C-alpha cells in the first residue's frame, strides 16, 4: 500500500522524479494519502534522528529512520504516499519519534490515526513542532537506563493521555477523519513549487532581523484557566510574521533563536479583534519562563512573505527554496543557549555543554531564592535540558562520558555539581544522571566550589573550609555513591585561604586560592601523586580559574591561571620534579576570568573589557577573538570550537544584552602577518 517517498530535508537533487509523473502513474487506480513533513526547528541541531513508523491495524507497512549523513545533514522525506488498502475502513496509524543526542533521548512523539480515501489524493500535514518538544517519555529502569522492546527499540510513550497526541503543545485527539483533509497539491507542500526545487522557503533569520517584540496578556491567560493565549498586535493594519524567541531551540542568528509560527493556523497564530491569538502552550511556556518573548515583523515578498503552512522554513533541511538560506556567519560568535539566570560555570563533555545557573537572589538580603539549576545542550546548541532544578546556588559542574554507539558518539554518564548552601556548613556535593533525580553525594560541606574528575575520584574545593578534598565514587545511576569518608589534600599550616577552582591530571592536581579581595594574598598550589601539596605561586591578586596543559598520555605539562584583580594570565612549568617559576603570559588585562587550553593556544575571557582572547603557547602575541561580550566568564574548548558564558547584565530581558548566554565560536587559524 506504500506509494513512494520523494523529496527530503536535504539536497534538491533528491527529487528523482516529479510528483506529477508519480501521480500520473497511479491515477485511476486507488485513492492516496500524501503525508507532508516539515519542521519549525533547526535540523540536526534540535533533532538529530527521526523515526517514522506506519502501521495498518498493528502490521508495520513502513518504517524509516533518518539520521545524519556524510555531510552532517538529515534527509527526511518531504512526503510519504500511501495507497488505499483493499478495505478502506482499516485505520492507518502514523508515529513520528524525534530524538536528540541518542535514541534514548526522545524529545517528540507525534501519533495520528486516520483512513486513506478511496477516490482522491488527500494531504496530511504532519509537522515536527518545537511546542511539542518534551512531549514524550522513555521508559527507564531504576538506574535510568532506557527500556527496550524485543526488537531493541527504545520504548516510548506520549506525555498525553491514551488516545491523544501533541499538536502545538496541547494534547488533542489522535484520530483525524480523512474527509476533513484537503486535496493534495504540490504547491501546498513545496512553497508554491512543483517539488523540483522551484518553490520558495521562509528565511527566518533575515525576516526577523529587525523584528519588534510584543507583550503577552498573561492575566487573560490566568483568568481563562489557561484556555486563552493572546499578545498585543503592534500594527493592526499590517500583514505580519511571528516567531517565538527561545532559549536556544529553533533557527538561530547572531543575537536570538527563532521558531516561526504559521499564520492563519490554529497551531500557529491568528489575528482576531485586535489581538494575536496564539496556542495556549505559548503562554504556558512564557509563564514558566521557558520562552524569552515573541518577535513580530511585517511580511514582505519572496522568502519573507507571510509564512503559511505551505511555506517551509529555509535551511539545509528544507525540501524547497534551496539557495535562499541565510546561514549563520561561522567567523562570528553565535549564541547556543540564551536566557540563563546568573550562570556560574560551564563544562564540555564529549558531546554536550553543561552549565550551572545560580538563579535569582533576594534583592534586599542577596540570599539565593533556591531557583538554581544545572542544564545541558548538545555541542551544536538547542533548547536546554534540565538535569537539576530548584537548587540552592549551584557552582561548578563536571560529567563523565560513558559508552559509544553509531550516531551517538558519547552518552552522558554521572554528573556532579556543587551547591554552596545558605550557611557555612550546609553545602552539598551532588550526583545526578539523565532521567533520575539528583542525590546528595556528600552534604554538610563548607561551601563547596570547584570540581574535578580523575578516573573514579572526585575532587572539590571548600571555600569556607579552606580545604581541597577527594572521594572515590562507584556505581551508576541510582546506585552511584561515595566510598568512605573524604580525604584532604590540604596540609596543615597553609596560609592561603579560600580555595576556588581545581584541575586534575594523571601526574598532578592543582588548585587556586582566591584569597581576600584587594589583599594580594591569593595563591596557586599543586600536588603530585604521593607527594606533599606545595604553593607554586603566592602573592597573586584574586587567583580564579585555572587549566592544565595535558599531553596525549594524560600528564600535565604546565598549569595556567588568571588573576582577576591582578589583570594577569600566568603559567608554571610542571615537567621537572621541582616546580618552575611563575611566567606572565599576559598582563594589564581587564579582569581576566575564565581560562582554557588546547594543543596550540591559551584562551581567556576579560570580564572588564568584554573580550575573548587567545595567545600562542609558543609565545605568539595575544589577539582578540571576540569583542562586545557581556561580562564573559567561564570558557572551555574542544577540537572544533570555543564556548564561553556571558554572565549578562542585571536586566531580566532576553537577548545578548540581558540575561546570560552561552556563546560558541568556531576555531579559526592563526593570524597571518601582513606587510
Amino acid at each position: 500500500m506504500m506509494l513512494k517517498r520523494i523529496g527530503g530535508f536535504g539536497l534538491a537533487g533528491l527529487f528523482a522524479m516529479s510528483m506529477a509523473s508519480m501521480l500520473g502513474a497511479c491515477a485511476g487506480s486507488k485513492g492516496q494519502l500524501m503525508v507532508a513533513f516539515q519542521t519549525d526547528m533547526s535540523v540536526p541541531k534540535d533533532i538529530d534522528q527521526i523515526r517514522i513508523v506506519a502501521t495498518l491495524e498493528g502490521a508495520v507497512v513502513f518504517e524509516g529512520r533518518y539520521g545524519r549523513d556524510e555531510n552532517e545533514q538529515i534527509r527526511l522525506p518531504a512526503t510519504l504516499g500511501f495507497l488505499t488498502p483493499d478495505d478502506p475502513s482499516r485505520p492507518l496509524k502514523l508515529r513520528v519519534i524525534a530524538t536528540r543526542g541518542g535514541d534514548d533521548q526522545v524529545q517528540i512523539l507525534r501519533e495520528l490515526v486516520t483512513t486513506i480515501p478511496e477516490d482522491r489524493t488527500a494531504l496530511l500535514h504532519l509537522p515536527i513542532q518545537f511546542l511539542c518538544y518534551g512531549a514524550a517519555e522513555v521508559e527507564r529502569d531504576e538506574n535510568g537506563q532506557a527500556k527496550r522492546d524485543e526488537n531493541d527499540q527504545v520504548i516510548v510513550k506520549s506525555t498525553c493521555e491514551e488516545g491523544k497526541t501533541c499538536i502545538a503543545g496541547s494534547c488533542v485527539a489522535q484520530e483525524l477523519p480523512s474527509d476533513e483533509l484537503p486535496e493534495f497539491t504540490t504547491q501546498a507542500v513545496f512553497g508554491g513549487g512543483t517539488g523540483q526545487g522551484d518553490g520558495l522557503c521562509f528565511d527566518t533569520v533575515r525576516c526577523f532581523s529587525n523584528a519588534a517584540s510584543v507583550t503577552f496578556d498573561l492575566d487573560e491567560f490566568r483568568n481563562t484557566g489557561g484556555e486563552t493565549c493572546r499578545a498585543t498586535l503592534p500594527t493592526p493594519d499590517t500583514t505580519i510574521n511571528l516567531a517565538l524567541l527561545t532559549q536556544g531551540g529553533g533557527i538561530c542568528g547572531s543575537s536570538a533563536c527563532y521558531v516561526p509560527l504559521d499564520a492563519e493556523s490554529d497551531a500557529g497564530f491568528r489575528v482576531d479583534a485586535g489581538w494575536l491569538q496564539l496556542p495556549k502552550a505559548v503562554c504556558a511556556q512564557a509563564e514558566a519562563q521557558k520562552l524569552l518573548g515573541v518577535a513580530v515583523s511585517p511580511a514582505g515578498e519572496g522568502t519573507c512573505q507571510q509564512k503559511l503552512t505551505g511555506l517551509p522554513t529555509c535551511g539545509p533541511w528544507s525540501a524547497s527554496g534551496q539557495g535562499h538560506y541565510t546561514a549563520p556567519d561561522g567567523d562570528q560568535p553565535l549564541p547556543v543557549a540564551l536566557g540563563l539566570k546568573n550562570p556560574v560555570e560551564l563544562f564540555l563533555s564529549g558531546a554536550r555543554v553543561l552549565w550551572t545557573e545560580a538563579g535569582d537572589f533576594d534583592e534586599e538580603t542577596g540570599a539565593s531564592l533556591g531557583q538554581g539549576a544545572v542544564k545541558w545542550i548538545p555541542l551544536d546548541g538547542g533548547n536546554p535540558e534540565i538535569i537539576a532544578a530548584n537548587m540552592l546556588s549551584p557552582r561548578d559542574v563536571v560529567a563523565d562520558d560513558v559508552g559509544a554507539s553509531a550516531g551517538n558518539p558519547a552518552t552522558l554518564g554521572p554528573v556532579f555539581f556543587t551547591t554552596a548552601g545558605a550557611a557555612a556548613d550546609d553545602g552539598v556535593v551532588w550526583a545526578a544522571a539523565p532521567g533520575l533525580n539528583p542525590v546528595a553525594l556528600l552534604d554538610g560541606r563548607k561551601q563547596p566550589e570547584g570540581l574535578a574528575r580523575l578516573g573514579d575520584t572526585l575532587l572539590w574545593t571548600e571555600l569556607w573550609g579552606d580545604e581541597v578534598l577527594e572521594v572515590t565514587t562507584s556505581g551508576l545511576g541510582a546506585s552511584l555513591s561515595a566510598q568512605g569518608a573524604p580525604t584532604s589534600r590540604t596540609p596543615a599550616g597553609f596560609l592561603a585561604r579560600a580555595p576556588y577552582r581545581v584541575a586534575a591530571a594523571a601526574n598532578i592536581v592543582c588548585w587556586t586560592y582566591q584569597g581576600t579581595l584587594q589583599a594580594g594574598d591569593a595563591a596557586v598550589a599543586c600536588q603530585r601523586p604521593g607527594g606533599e601539596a606545595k604553593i607554586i605561586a603566592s602573592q597573586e591578586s584574586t587567583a580564579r580559574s585555572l587549566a592544565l596543559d595535558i599531553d596525549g598520555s594524560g600528564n600535565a605539562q604546565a598549569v595556567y591561571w588568571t588573576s582577576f584583580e591582578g589583570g594577569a594570565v600566568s603559567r608554571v612549568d610542571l615537567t621537572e620534579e621541582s616546580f618552575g617559576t611563575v611566567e606572565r603570559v599576559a598582563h594589564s588585562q581587564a579582569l581576566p576570568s575564565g581560562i582554557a587550553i588546547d594543543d596550540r593556544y591559551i584562551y581567556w575571557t576579560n570580564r572588564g573589557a568584554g573580550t575573548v582572547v587567545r595567545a600562542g603557547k609558543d609565545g605568539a602575541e595575544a589577539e582578540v577573538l571576540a569583542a562586545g561580550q557581556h561580562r564573559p566568564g567561564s570558557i572551555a574548548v574542544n577540537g572544533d570550537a570555543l564556548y564561553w558564558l556571558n554572565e549578562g547584565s542585571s536586566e531580566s530581558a532576553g537577548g545578548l544584552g540581558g540575561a546570560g548566554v552561552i556563546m560558541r565560536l568556531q576555531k579559526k587559524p592563526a593570524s597571518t602577518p601582513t606587510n
Side-chain angles (χ1 to χ4, degrees):
M1 67 158 305
M2 180 70 185
L3 174 60
K4 253 188 201 296
R5 63 186 178 91
I6 70 164
F9 287 106
L11 302 176
L14 287 175
F15 303 113
M17 61 180 68
S18 73
M19 174 65 73
S21 65
M22 289 179 60
L23 293 180
C26 300
S29 55
K30 291 187 176 183
Q32 302 157 28
L33 177 68
M34 301 302 297
V35 185
F37 299 90
Q38 292 182 7
T39 183
D40 52 15
M41 295 179 285
S42 178
V43 179
K45 175 178 71 71
D46 297 314
I47 296 296
D48 60 14
Q49 188 176 95
I50 299 166
R51 182 172 165 235
I52 301 173
V53 182
T55 57
L56 200 63
E57 292 186 332
V60 176
V61 295
F62 174 80
E63 183 169 1
R65 190 184 298 269
Y66 307 88
R68 297 174 188 255
D69 62 15
E70 64 276 5
N71 298 315
E72 289 296 300
Q73 299 298 333
I74 292 181
R75 298 184 178 189
L76 183 76
T79 58
L80 288 174
F82 297 90
L83 296 175
T84 309
D86 293 336
D87 180 359
S89 66
R90 297 171 69 190
L92 176 73
K93 182 172 184 178
L94 295 163
R95 290 186 106 212
V96 179
I97 302 168
T99 65
R100 182 182 70 170
D103 66 350
D104 64 338
Q105 301 296 317
V106 178
Q107 304 299 335
I108 296 173
L109 172 62
R110 177 73 186 276
E111 298 175 293
L112 191 140
V113 179
T114 189
T115 56
I116 303 172
E118 296 182 68
D119 54 0
R120 69 188 184 100
T121 300
L123 172 62
L124 170 63
H125 281 284
L126 199 61
I128 303 169
Q129 299 171 317
F130 170 83
L131 285 174
C132 288
Y133 213 86
E137 294 178 338
V138 174
E139 293 191 19
R140 298 182 182 274
D141 61 21
E142 64 276 6
N143 290 319
Q145 301 300 306
K147 294 182 179 180
R148 297 178 181 270
D149 61 20
E150 63 276 7
N151 297 317
D152 200 35
Q153 301 291 342
V154 173
I155 300 175
V156 183
K157 62 181 180 180
S158 175
T159 56
C160 296
E161 59 266 37
E162 185 71 24
K164 292 191 175 183
T165 190
C166 181
I167 297 179
S170 295
C171 293
V172 301
Q174 291 181 8
E175 294 191 10
L176 179 63
S178 61
D179 58 9
E180 295 182 9
L181 297 174
E183 294 292 320
F184 170 79
T185 64
T186 58
Q187 292 78 11
V189 177
F190 298 104
T194 64
Q196 297 293 308
D198 55 345
L200 291 175
C201 59
F202 184 76
D203 194 351
T204 305
V205 171
R206 185 171 72 86
C207 296
F208 289 104
S209 59
N210 295 308
S213 61
V214 298
T215 304
F216 293 110
D217 187 353
L218 292 182
D219 287 337
E220 179 71 7
F221 179 68
R222 299 183 191 105
N223 292 337
T224 59
E227 291 300 318
T228 300
C229 180
R230 65 185 189 181
T232 55
L233 180 62
T235 51
D237 298 326
T238 302
T239 302
I240 62 168
N241 283 308
L242 181 148
L244 308 179
L245 294 170
T246 76
Q247 295 179 331
I251 302 167
C252 298
S254 61
S255 61
C257 294
Y258 308 95
V259 170
L261 298 186
D262 293 335
E264 303 304 319
S265 167
D266 291 337
F269 74 94
R270 297 182 185 276
V271 177
D272 184 25
W275 289 90
L276 290 168
Q277 303 294 336
L278 301 165
K280 56 186 179 183
V282 172
C283 284
Q285 290 202 19
E287 190 170 47
Q289 300 183 17
K290 293 181 179 180
L291 288 177
L292 303 183
V294 169
V296 172
S297 181
E301 298 180 350
T303 58
C304 282
Q305 64 184 273
Q306 188 171 49
K307 188 187 182 315
L308 302 173
T309 302
L311 185 67
T313 57
C314 296
W317 56 86
S318 181
S320 73
Q322 295 296 324
H324 294 294
Y325 177 47
T326 301
D329 185 350
D331 292 330
Q332 298 297 318
L334 297 171
V336 291
L338 302 95
L340 283 59
K341 288 191 174 182
N342 294 309
V344 179
E345 196 69 45
L346 66 76
F347 175 85
L348 290 187
S349 73
R352 295 170 174 86
V353 186
L354 298 94
W355 71 94
T356 55
E357 297 179 28
D360 291 330
F361 297 89
D362 185 274
E363 293 184 0
E364 295 183 1
T365 66
S368 170
L369 296 179
Q371 300 172 348
V374 182
K375 301 177 182 179
W376 68 265
I377 54 172
L379 294 177
D380 292 338
N383 223 45
E385 298 288 324
I386 296 175
I387 297 171
N390 301 318
M391 310 304 293
L392 196 64
S393 297
R395 306 301 299 167
D396 205 357
V397 59
V398 296
D400 293 344
D401 283 329
V402 297
S405 61
N408 184 20
T411 300
L412 190 64
V415 177
F416 304 92
F417 61 96
T418 53
T419 56
D425 58 355
D426 65 355
V428 181
V429 179
W430 295 86
L436 296 176
N437 292 326
V439 297
L441 194 68
L442 298 157
D443 55 13
R445 311 315 307 175
K446 298 180 179 180
Q447 193 169 339
E449 265 286 344
L451 276 175
R453 189 76 164 143
L454 185 60
D456 292 332
T457 300
L458 184 68
L459 303 101
W460 71 95
T461 64
E462 293 195 358
L463 196 67
W464 290 351
D466 292 328
E467 280 191 297
V468 179
L469 300 108
E470 66 178 44
V471 72
T472 300
T473 64
S474 67
L476 292 173
S479 64
L480 192 144
S481 62
Q483 302 300 298
T487 58
S488 177
R489 283 182 170 262
T490 312
F494 259 33
L495 298 179
R497 294 290 178 264
Y500 191 66
R501 291 288 177 259
V502 59
N507 65 330
I508 204 161
V509 174
C510 295
W511 58 91
T512 57
Y513 285 96
Q514 186 171 253
T516 308
L517 292 176
Q518 300 180 347
D521 60 351
V524 181
C526 291
Q527 183 183 26
R528 300 187 190 277
E532 293 184 356
K534 294 183 179 180
I535 298 290
I536 65 169
S538 59
Q539 297 182 327
E540 296 288 304
S541 295
T542 322
R544 299 291 291 270
S545 298
L546 81 164
L548 295 174
D549 185 9
I550 300 175
D551 63 19
S553 300
N555 293 313
Q557 304 298 300
V559 59
Y560 293 79
W561 69 91
T562 56
S563 294
F564 190 68
E565 288 183 299
V569 178
S570 309
R571 78 182 291 273
V572 164
D573 185 83
L574 302 174
T575 58
E576 301 296 333
E577 185 63 29
S578 58
F579 297 110
T581 58
V582 176
E583 305 170 51
R584 300 301 185 195
V585 175
H587 54 80
S588 301
Q589 302 296 295
L591 304 179
S593 185
I595 190 168
I597 309 290
D598 67 10
D599 57 346
R600 296 181 61 189
Y601 297 102
I602 313 114
Y603 306 88
W604 67 90
T605 57
N606 284 323
R607 180 187 176 101
T611 57
V612 178
V613 183
R614 79 174 181 185
K617 292 195 294 186
D618 59 0
E621 187 175 346
E623 59 176 326
V624 174
L625 298 179
Q629 305 302 298
H630 295 267
R631 299 199 303 172
S634 179
I635 186 171
V637 61
N638 62 16
D640 299 319
L642 304 177
Y643 299 80
W644 66 88
L645 286 175
N646 277 345
E647 296 174 16
S649 70
S650 58
E651 302 170 8
S652 60
L656 301 187
V661 181
I662 295 179
M663 304 296 293
R664 183 180 191 270
L665 177 64
Q666 286 288 122
K667 284 185 174 180
K668 65 178 182 178
S671 298
T672 302
T674 56
N675 295 328

